[in-house]
Structures are given as structure tokens and as C-alpha cells.
Amino acid sequence: MGRLPFSLGPDALRSESNAIVAEARRRLAELLDGGVPPTIDGLLGPLDRLLIDVRDVSSHGSFLFQVHPDAAVRTAAREASEAADRFFNELRLNERLYRSLKSVSVPETDPETRHAVEKMLREMRRAGVEQPPERRERLVALSNRIDQTANEFAGNIATGTRAIEVVGPAELAGLPADYVTAHPPGPNGKVRITTQYPDVVPVMANADVAEVRRRLLAEVLNVAHPENLAVLDRLLVARHELARLLRYADFAEYATEDKMLERPQRVAEFLGRLDTLLLESARHDTARYLARKRRDDPAATRLDPWDASFWGDGYYDTRIRREEYGVDPRVLRSYLAYPAVRDGLFALCRELFGLEFARAPSDGTWHPSVEVYDVAQDGRPIGRCYLDLVPRANKYSHAAEFDVRTGVVGGGLPQAALVCNFLDAGTPPERARMEYRDVITFFHEFGHLLHALLSGHGRWLYTTMGFIELDFIEAPSQLFEEWARDPPTLARFARDPETGATIPAEILDRIRAAEAVGRAERQLRQVALAAISLELYRRDPAGIDTTAVFRSGWDRRSSIPLDPAYHPQAAWGHLAGYSACYYTYLWSAVIARDLLTPFHASGSLTDPLTARRYAAEILAPGSGRPAADLVRRFLGREFDFGAYERWVLAGQVAEPLPSVGNGDR
């Protein structure tokens, strides 16, 4: 871990981080004052190394801010991250460096270096390096304020866990037996259910008592409320001010400029195309859920948010999968023991990409539950990864991959972490069971992890995965989800650890058929969120009511209205990280569906030749070439919408399978 091991206390972390940033400032000044020639070896090489040192401070600090159990360390980590951010904010506006970089001559025979330099220059222009000096000072101060506000927003979400109390076992009816066992009554005789994922997911999908689902969803959709409403308002105002200073109409115009879609108008057109594609099919989905609800309540005239897939898998879509397709998440849990899922995932990576994951000592990590693995490809070490999968207080509350260390040729190997909340803290990991939905999320985040590990071997910081267009970054992870949905792959590790029995082939067939149920409705929900994020940043935020904007964007597409008492934007971390670009998930999904076509053409998702070519042409280059070029090389053509459209509309032709009884096997 170099000078920043995870074991540092708050004072040492603060001191060492500040020292690294100060040294980088000194090295940069020496470069600019020393008359070094503006060449690849004279300027770019030394510059890249000092940038990586500060980037690692930023990664280390922002990561520990999200996961460390000690509040004092989290505070020091946040300060370290913000110190690194200040360095980069100043560097992007360094006119002398800008002039030197413009003078670097890169031969046509070195496209990776040319691309890295072009991206650095563009980033500096976008930051305002060509603006007058007094404006550059304002831009630095404003950028620093934005970073601090975004961290405040994320911190409130991480510390904002809520809970309800219920009386068991009557109010826990419908929930899996192992879930009930893991949630015994407290001293007051009541069961506490938190807004952490392992608690919420089974309740929203399985709890028969609607009032329990209603109460829990209200807490989930009000995490970090009311405190984050004011923080979000300040973030929107600051970003709008930044955009206007840089001569953009709004922050959405600024945020989309360096993405694949380039302009807010193109994003809006893309979302409009999806609206047209999905709206009718999504209404078919919700009508199907309402019809099922009426079997329980003949007087029902609408779906409530806690009835269907408003948040994750809902109650009546789960009932349909159970009753019409024989897919019961409670039964699936019995076959999805965490150790088998993890080891099956490792075995799949060995087969596809030649990767080996060797358990390493976890001493000195930030928490005892963290698993550490050294990773090699075909016998050659390529990096290290960390799995932090157990929820705890003040930890990042969703699922994400975090870069921990930057890897480049001649430097260190890449290190990355998965931070998820799959495993119940009260159950030892070797006995933990996973929701099938969480298995898919595990594979999704692992797709990011593979991207980070395989791409961390280029020549320059600006050609690593972290600098690829943001609206492509989710494509590899969404593609990797498909192995969790692939029956032959799932059969390799889905087994009951108590009996050793593998998951029956019949269940695998039914999972595949049931996957399409509600797909259009789920995708339209993503369209709503993408449109909301765009709208929040595509306007003057003066006097904005973010709750009204959210509700308007949601209700325009959903037949399940958003209760005014809900404030989901307060817990929506992507509004800080992705800003106007939440559409990334949908744009990446379109690309990912097309990236699957060579695998389908080979006849198997586990065809090693296709997998190795995919790793070499999509993952390993990182951001060494524009994302569109990567996709074009792999497909041999431009990507198109055909595969996505066929996939998303498949739910309307998916027929129920023959009855399997009540689904409670």
C-alpha cells in the first residue's frame, strides 16, 4: 500500500496525505521551472508519476471515507480526498503546464500517448485554463466547494440508516425462514428491520403484510432526509454557477460534453426514443401486477409503491414469478450460499480470462470482514482486490466498485474494491445465503472490478479505466450480469450447502423465462430517473423544488405515483457522482446488449476465444482509445439498438410455464 496503508490512524493519514500532495506540488514546480524539454520523456513521464501519486491519495481518501468504521478516520480520509481534489483543480487551471503540454510532440505511431495528451488538454480547457486569471481563481474556489458539498451529500447517505420495528412472527409472514432466524426480537419483543439492503430486499419482495412493506419503503425513500435536501440545493447552485462561468448554458451541457452522447439534446432524444419503445409495454406490466393484486383485494383500483417493483423486486411481480413461472426467491436462496457463489465466480473468471484469485492475509484492512485476493492472469500477477460485502453502520449503503490504487506500466499494480451489502451481519459468511437479485448485482460490480484490474497496465494515468467516457463505464458491468442469468453458468455454483444438491434444471429454465417479466417497466423506471437527473441539471436551480421535479419526472412515466412524503433524491448518491448523466446506465445497456452478440454467435457465453477477445479489445485498453472505437473493433461494425430492443420487449411474449403448484416448494 506504499505510504498509505489502511492501518494509519487519523493523524497519520492526514499528515502523510498532505505530505504526498505537497511533494507533488514541489515536483510540478521543478518540472515547470527547470526548463525540461516538452517531450514524452522530459515532461510527460515525470508529470504522469506525480499525478498518479496524488490520484492514489484521492482514491484512498474517498474510499476510506465511504467504508471505514472509525469516524475520525473517515473525517481524515475526506480531508485527504479534498486535498487531492484541490491539487487537481489547481492543476487543470495551470496555464504554464497547459502551454508546455501543447508543445509536446507525439508521433503518429504512438496513438495511446496522443490520446492521453489530448484528453489532458481538453480537460484543462473545460476547467477554464484559457479564461482570464481572475476568473480562474473563482473557478478553483468553486470547484473546491463543489467537491466538499458532494462529499457532504455522500456522507449523509452513508450515515443515514433508518429502521422500523415489527411484531413477529405474524408481521414477518412470507419471509424466508433463514431471514426470520437472523432477525430475532430485541429486548422490547419487536424485530428491527433496517434500510440496509439485506434487510430491505427480502421484505419488499416477500412480506405478505402490506403495512410492513409500506412502512419500510417510506424509510428507504427518506434516507438522508431532510438534511440532504439543502445539501443538494447547494450542489445544484454551485454546479450551475461553475457552468455559467465557463460559458455553458447549464451544468448538463458541461457534464455531457466529454461523453459519448456529447450534448443534453442528444440525451433527451435518446430518452425520448426509449419512452416510445417502453411505455406501452410497461403499462402492460403494471396492469398485470394490478390484476394479481385484485385476486387478494377485489376492490383494488391501483398499485401502491410497496406493491410492485418501485424499489428493486416488488411483491406482486415476485408473486407472478412464483405462481406463474415457479420461481420463488425464497427457494433460490437455499441454493445461493455465498461461498459457492464467490468461488463459482472465480472459477468462471479462470475459464473466461485465465484469472486466478488467491486469498491473501486480511490483516491491516479497514474491517475484519474484508476479504483480500491477489489476482494473476496466466500466472502473471495483475493486481489485488478487496471484497467488503457485509453491511455495518456508516458504511456506503449501496453497491459499487472503488479504485484503490492506480496501475500503470513501470508503477504499481492496480488495486480495487467491491463495496456491497449482500451478507447479513448476524450470519457468518460461510453460512450466508444470497438473494438471486444480489447475485446479479455481485456479477455487475465484478464486471467493474475486472475492467479495473485488466486495464491497469497501460502507460498513462489518462488511459486507465477511470478516464473512459462515463456513459460507457457501465457497459462491461451490465454485460457481465448475463453470466449470472445464464442457466449453465448458474448451475455450476447454485447448490444447497446442507444437502449438496445442485439447483434443478427445471428451476433454471423457469428463472430464464421469468427474467423477462416486468423488464419494460424496470427499464422505464430507469428512463424516469435518467430524465430527472438531466432535468435537475438542465435548468437554473434558483428556487428549485427537487421533490417536485422528481415527482413530476416520475409520475410522467409511472402509473404508480410518487407520494409527496417521499424524498428519494436525498439518498440518490448518483446525483452527486453522475450529476446529469444517470442516463449512463441505459446507454451502456444498449451497448452491452450488442456486445453480447458475438458470444451468442459462438453458441456459448463461456466460449473462451470470444471472452479473451472481449477482454483484449474492450477491457484491457482502458481509455486508451475512444469508447466508440473499442466497441467498433470488437463488433467489427457500429453498435445498434436491435439487440436491446429485442431483449427489452421479450417480456411481452414470455408465456407462463406449466403450473408447479403454489411455488412454496
Side-chain angles (χ1 to χ4, degrees), residues 87-358:
F87 173 90
F88 282 112
N89 289 337
E90 294 164 9
L91 178 118
R92 295 183 189 104
L93 293 170
N94 189 315
E95 189 179 17
R96 292 175 63 200
L97 176 61
Y98 181 65
R99 289 198 305 267
S100 295
L101 285 172
K102 288 177 69 175
S103 300
V104 175
S105 177
V106 183
E108 294 285 347
T109 54
D110 191 356
E112 182 181 1
T113 300
R114 290 180 67 85
H115 192 50
V117 173
E118 288 168 0
K119 286 199 294 183
M120 291 179 68
L121 290 171
R122 183 182 190 184
E123 184 178 85
M124 295 178 80
R125 285 193 297 271
R126 280 170 42 77
V129 71
E130 295 178 341
Q131 301 285 340
E134 64 278 6
R135 180 165 292 193
R136 293 203 301 270
E137 291 180 10
R138 289 177 60 195
L139 288 167
V140 169
L142 192 53
S143 295
N144 291 337
R145 175 151 54 92
I146 288 169
D147 292 334
Q148 294 165 355
T149 307
N151 282 338
E152 183 181 355
F153 189 77
N156 287 340
I157 295 170
T159 59
T161 299
R162 294 180 172 221
I164 64 170
E165 289 187 329
V166 302
V167 179
E171 290 192 317
L172 298 176
L175 286 159
D178 65 307
Y179 182 97
V180 175
T181 300
H183 292 75
N188 64 355
K190 296 183 178 181
V191 175
R192 187 171 185 266
I193 300 175
T194 73
T195 52
Q196 294 177 334
Y197 274 26
D199 277 6
V200 175
V201 173
V203 169
M204 299 313 300
N206 299 296
D208 291 335
V209 180
E211 178 62 10
V212 171
R213 303 195 307 271
R214 184 198 68 78
R215 291 173 55 209
L216 184 58
L217 183 64
E219 299 302 327
V220 168
L221 296 180
N222 280 306
V223 165
H225 174 263
E227 58 270 25
N228 258 359
L229 294 187
V231 179
L232 179 58
D233 287 347
R234 286 192 276 114
L235 183 62
L236 295 173
V237 167
R239 281 178 162 165
H240 185 73
E241 182 182 349
L242 179 78
R244 298 296 293 161
L245 277 174
L246 291 169
R247 311 298 192 197
Y248 293 87
D250 49 51
F251 192 78
E253 185 176 76
Y254 172 80
T256 56
E257 183 185 45
D258 61 346
K259 311 303 186 291
M260 293 181 75
L261 279 177
E262 297 180 335
R263 297 187 300 278
Q265 183 58 36
R266 292 186 63 192
V267 176
E269 290 168 358
F270 167 63
L271 296 177
R273 177 174 181 171
L274 294 187
D275 272 332
T276 301
L277 173 69
L278 297 168
L279 193 56
E280 183 178 348
S281 295
R283 287 172 176 165
H284 176 277
D285 291 334
T286 53
R288 191 175 182 184
Y289 303 157
L290 179 57
R292 176 59 189 83
K293 180 179 180 178
R294 284 174 175 155
R295 287 169 49 192
D296 294 340
D297 178 9
T301 59
R302 67 173 193 179
L303 287 170
D304 291 306
W306 51 91
D307 287 332
S309 53
F310 188 95
W311 188 95
D313 291 332
Y315 182 72
Y316 282 109
D317 40 315
T318 299
R319 295 286 293 190
I320 288 170
R321 293 189 189 97
R322 184 187 310 163
E323 296 166 353
E324 298 185 20
Y325 296 85
V327 175
D328 188 339
R330 299 170 300 182
V331 173
L332 291 180
R333 278 171 68 101
S334 65
Y335 293 101
L336 297 174
Y338 164 66
V341 174
R342 177 200 61 207
D343 295 346
L345 180 51
F346 290 167
L348 175 67
C349 291
R350 181 188 311 120
E351 179 178 351
L352 294 178
F353 310 118
L355 300 179
E356 296 287 348
F357 291 78

Side-chain angles (χ1 to χ4, degrees), residues 413-584:
L413 296 176
Q415 299 186 47
L418 291 195
V419 179
C420 307
N421 294 277
F422 301 146
L423 311 182
D424 194 297
T427 304
E430 62 271 14
R431 294 195 2 248
R433 308 296 178 92
M434 297 183 70
E435 295 289 327
Y436 179 55
R437 176 182 183 268
D438 286 341
V439 172
I440 293 174
T441 301
F442 193 14
F443 273 64
H444 175 101
E445 300 302 342
F446 216 85
H448 286 303
L449 184 73
L450 293 173
H451 202 178
L453 293 174
L454 291 173
S455 68
H457 307 276
R459 292 173 60 195
W460 308 107
L461 170 63
Y462 275 75
T463 58
T464 59
M465 180 194 80
F467 289 85
I468 203 163
E469 294 96 316
L470 186 66
D471 48 4
F472 177 75
I473 196 66
E474 295 293 338
S477 55
Q478 295 202 57
L479 180 143
F480 204 68
E481 292 179 17
E482 288 308 297
W483 278 272
R485 297 188 177 99
D486 180 49
T489 303
L490 194 60
R492 299 178 183 194
F493 57 79
R495 63 181 64 244
D496 188 330
E498 305 297 332
T499 65
T502 58
I503 190 168
E506 179 194 23
I507 291 182
L508 293 173
D509 291 340
R510 294 177 180 280
I511 291 172
R512 171 66 84 179
E515 261 296 315
V517 173
R519 185 176 290 156
E521 189 273 336
R522 293 192 298 274
Q523 289 291 295
L524 188 62
R525 188 188 337 150
Q526 289 293 91
V527 175
L529 294 173
I532 291 164
S533 83
L534 185 67
E535 172 65 15
L536 285 171
Y537 284 102
R538 203 183 179 187
R539 57 183 292 172
D540 185 337
I544 192 171
D545 180 345
T546 58
T547 301
V549 171
F550 196 107
R551 188 167 66 249
S552 174
W554 183 271
D555 291 352
R556 194 176 305 135
R557 293 168 178 86
S558 176
S559 59
I560 308 175
L562 186 75
D563 190 317
Y566 296 160
H567 303 87
Q569 76 275 24
W572 190 10
H574 292 84
L575 284 178
Y578 279 35
S579 67
C581 300
Y582 190 77
Y583 78 89
T584 291

